[in-house]
C-alpha cells in the first residue's frame, strides 16, 4: 500500500484527535515500519489494519466507520493534488468509470509497484451505475467514503447500496442510483 495512504490517515487522526493519539497509535503497536512513512514508499497493508483497529479500540468507533471517514478525508487530498482527474470528468458517473481505465493507469505509470483495487463498472440504466470492487485488502468502507465524496464534489446525489459478493469483503458490488 502506498505511503500516502498512511501519511494521510495519520494526518486525519492528528487533525481530529491530536498528535498524542497518533503517537500512541504508533508507540503502542508493533509496526514493521515503526510508523515512519513517506508518501511515495510502499508498506504492508496489514499496518493500516493494525492502525485502524487500534484506533477503533481507543475511540470505540467501528472500523467500518473509521475507514469510511478516511475515504471522505482522503478525497479532499485527491481533490487538491489531482484536480486534473476530477476536471477531466463532467459528472460523478464519468469520474467513477474512469478510475480503472484512466486514473489507475496514470498511477501505475508513476508508481509501478502500486497495488490498487480493481473496479469494473457498468451503466445499467442512465441513472444507475454498478461498480464491482475487488481487493484482497477488503477496504470497501474506504471506497464507499471516496464514492460518497465524489458525488458531493460534483454536487450530485445518489443512493449507494452494497452487496458483499465474497464473505471476506474482497469483492463488493456497489449499486449507485442517481437521485
Amino acid at each position: 500500500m502506498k505511503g500516502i495512504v498512511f501519511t494521510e490517515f495519520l494526518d486525519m487522526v492528528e487533525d481530529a484527535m491530536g498528535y498524542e493519539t497518533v503517537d500512541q497509535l504508533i508507540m503502542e503497536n508493533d509496526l514493521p515500519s515503526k510508523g515512519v512513512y513517506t508518501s511515495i514508499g510502499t508498506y504492508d497493508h496489514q499496518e493500516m489494519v493494525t492502525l485502524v483497529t487500534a484506533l477503533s479500540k481507543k475511540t470505540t468507533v467501528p472500523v467500518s466507520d473509521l475507514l469510511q471517514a478516511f475515504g471522505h478525508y482522503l478525497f479532499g487530498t485527491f481533490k487538491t493534488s489531482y484536480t486534473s482527474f476530477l476536471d477531466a470528468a463532467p459528472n460523478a458517473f464519468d469520474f467513477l468509470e474512469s478510475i480503472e481505465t484512466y486514473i489507475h493507469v496514470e498511477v501505475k505509470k508513476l508508481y509501478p509497484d502500486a497495488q490498487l483495487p480493481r473496479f469494473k463498472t457498468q451503466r445499467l440504466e442512465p441513472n444507475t451505475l454498478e461498480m464491482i470492487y475487488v481487493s484482497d485488502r477488503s477496504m470497501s468502507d474506504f471506497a464507499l467514503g471516496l464514492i460518497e465524496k465524489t458525488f458531493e464534489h460534483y454536487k450530485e446525489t445518489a443512493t449507494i447500496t452494497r452487496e458483499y459478493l465474497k464473505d471476506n469483503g474482497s469483492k463488493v458490488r456497489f449499486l449507485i442510483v442517481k437521485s
Side-chain angles (χ1 to χ4, degrees):
M1 182 174 277
K2 293 311 291 179
I4 189 172
V5 177
F6 290 90
T7 60
E8 291 296 319
F9 177 74
L10 294 176
D11 285 349
M12 179 190 80
V13 173
E14 183 176 354
D15 289 351
M17 296 168 219
Y19 178 76
E20 296 77 22
T21 303
V22 172
D23 194 46
Q24 288 172 353
L25 285 176
I26 292 169
M27 299 306 288
E28 294 173 1
N29 290 284
D30 184 23
L31 303 169
S33 72
K34 306 292 185 219
V36 179
Y37 306 107
T38 64
S39 62
I40 61 169
T42 302
Y43 306 92
D44 186 336
H45 87 279
Q46 192 58 45
E47 287 194 41
M48 180 59 69
V49 172
T50 299
L51 289 167
V52 173
T53 302
L55 184 61
S56 176
K57 287 177 184 171
K58 184 176 285 303
T59 62
T60 69
V61 175
V63 167
S64 60
D65 291 352
L66 290 172
L67 286 172
Q68 188 174 352
F70 180 46
H72 291 172
Y73 183 90
L74 190 59
F75 187 88
T77 299
F78 289 164
K79 183 176 172 178
T80 301
S81 301
Y82 304 102
T83 55
S84 62
F85 291 142
L86 292 161
D87 292 346
N91 60 60
F93 277 3
D94 285 352
F95 177 78
L96 293 171
E97 289 173 319
S98 76
I99 292 172
E100 191 68 30
T101 58
Y102 174 57
I103 296 169
H104 283 179
V105 170
E106 295 301 315
V107 170
K108 286 296 239 178
K109 287 178 188 176
L110 294 171
Y111 308 107
D113 64 334
Q115 299 169 337
L116 304 168
R118 291 183 313 282
F119 292 95
K120 180 181 176 191
T121 58
Q122 179 181 355
R123 292 225 194 172
L124 303 178
E125 295 179 17
N127 68 334
T128 305
L129 180 70
E130 175 186 70
M131 287 186 81
I132 305 294
Y133 161 93
V134 179
S135 174
D136 291 338
R137 293 184 189 97
S138 303
M139 293 177 66
S140 68
D141 297 307
F142 175 59
L144 176 60
L146 289 166
I147 293 167
E148 289 171 337
K149 281 300 196 176
T150 298
F151 279 90
E152 186 177 305
H153 169 77
Y154 287 100
K155 296 176 177 48
E156 298 174 3
T157 57
T159 301
I160 304 167
T161 56
R162 266 190 299 188
E163 175 186 1
Y164 291 90
L165 302 177
K166 289 195 175 178
D167 288 340
N168 66 358
S170 64
K171 188 172 185 180
V172 176
R173 177 182 186 246
F174 290 99
L175 188 64
I176 306 166
V177 180
K178 279 190 189 182
S179 304

